[in-house]
Amino acid sequence: MCKQAGIVLLTLILSLVFMERCFADTDMFSYKAGDITVVRLVDKQGGVPPEVLIGADKAMLKSVLPEGICPAMFLTFLIKSPTDLILVDTGNGEARKGRTLALLKQMGISKDAITKILLTHMHGDHVNGLFSGESKAFPQAEVYVEQSEFRFWTDRKNLSRAPAGMASCFDNAERFARLYGDKIHLFKAGETLFPWLTSVAMPGHTEGHTGFLLTRGGKRLLFAGDFLHCLPVQTAHPEISVIWDSDQNLAKQTRVKVLERTANSETIVLGGHFANPGAVHFKQSGGKFSYQFVEPDVN
Ligand SMILES: [Zn+2]
């Protein structure tokens, strides 16, 4: 019991570090794909403490992370298609000082203008932005979430299968189901949601963690959520999971698969927590993975 309480406390402390660490940043970068524009929004700044990287060699961490913390952010993405304004994840919300709504407002976009929301998974830093207290933050939005992800978090019997400190995710799932009701669209990973967007199974971080591949105008952009949290460490060492991964072995398999499928290709990978500018091309050479940041098209 005592040990469990200790783990919960440690998780909370590390999560707070992740939330509050500050890095200088530009809030909005855009990427073009034909007639679609993707805007990366910094919901909140952050950093991944090395203590959450399971089994990482201390000497390696010291050389790869000389500042003692992994640069990272809390990101959401706005997809501007000719017919819809779509959010990928919603960030920390008002409860945890998320800035997505404020940034949309800054762009002249009201909460009622968001017509669709795609969730990569149902951890708090991705779904809290769905709520404004006990109301919907996005009253007009249809919300798309993978079916096994939704079922996991809406069944409290799964509490023992979730990492420590995740009890609030079950409360959120209940509130989500209650508030959004028939506006929730459950899909199976792999399904095509729009002619230019297909869901991609990326389980491990959570039960039904999902990516979204946008293909338009000869460009390929992959919204990859939390398949990876610390670029400099986990790209070179995809075998290293984080304490927030619910199935660490499956998370590792997914990481390797995503890296193998996107490396040395034109696919731009957008992570939920990548550091500035939030998008990369992965490379593979001599069995080793690396990455290059992709410069945005429009600032
Ligand atoms: Zn996250």
Side-chain angles (χ1 to χ4, degrees):
M1 192 65 191
C2 251
K3 192 182 168 199
Q4 204 175 25
I7 292 169
V8 171
L9 188 64
L10 177 67
T11 306
L12 271 173
I13 292 166
L14 294 174
S15 301
L16 282 173
V17 175
F18 184 31
M19 284 194 290
E20 302 303 339
R21 171 76 182 183
C22 286
F23 287 91
D25 178 48
T26 302
D27 291 328
M28 292 180 258
F29 286 142
S30 299
Y31 300 88
K32 286 269 190 200
D35 55 359
I36 290 175
T37 302
V38 172
V39 187
R40 181 221 61 159
L41 308 170
V42 178
D43 184 67
K44 195 164 167 175
Q45 297 179 357
V48 176
E51 292 82 0
V52 308
L53 297 158
I54 298 166
D57 177 75
K58 284 201 167 65
M60 178 273 289
L61 287 178
K62 215 169 176 186
S63 73
V64 178
L65 305 175
E67 289 193 11
I69 193 151
C70 183
M73 303 195 172
F74 293 90
L75 302 176
T76 58
F77 300 90
L78 173 69
I79 302 174
K80 295 158 89 173
S81 87
T83 54
D84 284 288
L85 290 175
I86 304 167
L87 271 183
V88 179
D89 290 331
T90 61
N92 290 281
E94 60 186 21
R96 292 197 207 160
K97 300 192 174 121
R99 299 172 59 233
T100 294
L101 260 180
L103 293 172
L104 291 173
K105 202 171 171 190
Q106 208 174 301
M107 297 164 76
I109 296 170
S110 77
K111 58 186 183 175
D112 288 309
I114 300 296
T115 48
K116 294 181 172 71
I117 293 170
L118 312 174
L119 297 176
T120 58
H121 63 297
M122 291 176 63
H123 279 168
D125 55 321
H126 300 257
V127 303
N128 278 345
L130 287 167
F131 315 117
S132 176
E134 278 305 308
S135 303
K136 290 195 251 186
F138 299 99
Q140 308 303 326
E142 310 271 333
V143 186
Y144 293 73
V145 60
E146 208 279 332
Q147 57 183 20
S148 61
E149 179 72 3
F150 182 80
R151 285 178 191 143
F152 182 89
W153 295 110
T154 48
D155 184 350
R156 282 183 192 270
K157 287 204 287 291
N158 291 321
L159 183 57
S160 60
R161 290 176 57 210
M166 296 280 180
S168 62
C169 293
F170 292 90
D171 300 335
N172 269 342
E174 223 165 61
R175 184 160 49 145
F176 172 43
R178 180 163 30 88
L179 292 179
Y180 282 84
D182 60 8
K183 292 270 198 179
I184 298 173
H185 294 266
L186 300 182
F187 63 86
K188 197 168 171 0
E191 269 180 42
T192 293
L193 303 183
F194 317 126
W196 44 269
L197 188 120
T198 301
S199 61
V200 183
M202 293 189 189
H205 179 56
T206 59
E207 183 84 5
H209 182 270
T210 309
F212 301 101
L213 179 66
L214 188 163
T215 312
R216 187 82 154 186
K219 293 270 185 74
R220 288 162 68 85
L221 275 72
L222 178 64
F223 300 94
D226 287 12
F227 87 106
L228 182 155
H229 286 74
C230 177
L231 266 173
V233 172
Q234 291 177 289
T235 304
H237 300 278
E239 72 280 6
I240 296 175
S241 284
V242 294
I243 59 169
W244 304 301
D245 291 336
S246 58
D247 183 331
Q248 290 163 14
N249 197 37
L250 189 55
K252 169 194 151 183
Q253 288 172 30
T254 288
R255 245 182 326 275
V256 171
K257 215 181 270 181
V258 173
L259 289 168
E260 281 176 345
R261 285 185 184 167
T262 58
N264 304 337
S265 78
E266 290 302 306
T267 304
I268 295 173
V269 182
L270 302 147
H273 296 292
F274 288 1
N276 235 352
V280 298
H281 278 138
F282 285 114
K283 308 277 172 204
Q284 186 176 20
S285 174
K288 286 272 177 200
F289 293 106
S290 60
Y291 63 90
Q292 265 178 352
F293 281 117
V294 179
E295 288 305 313
D297 295 312
V298 196
N299 256 335

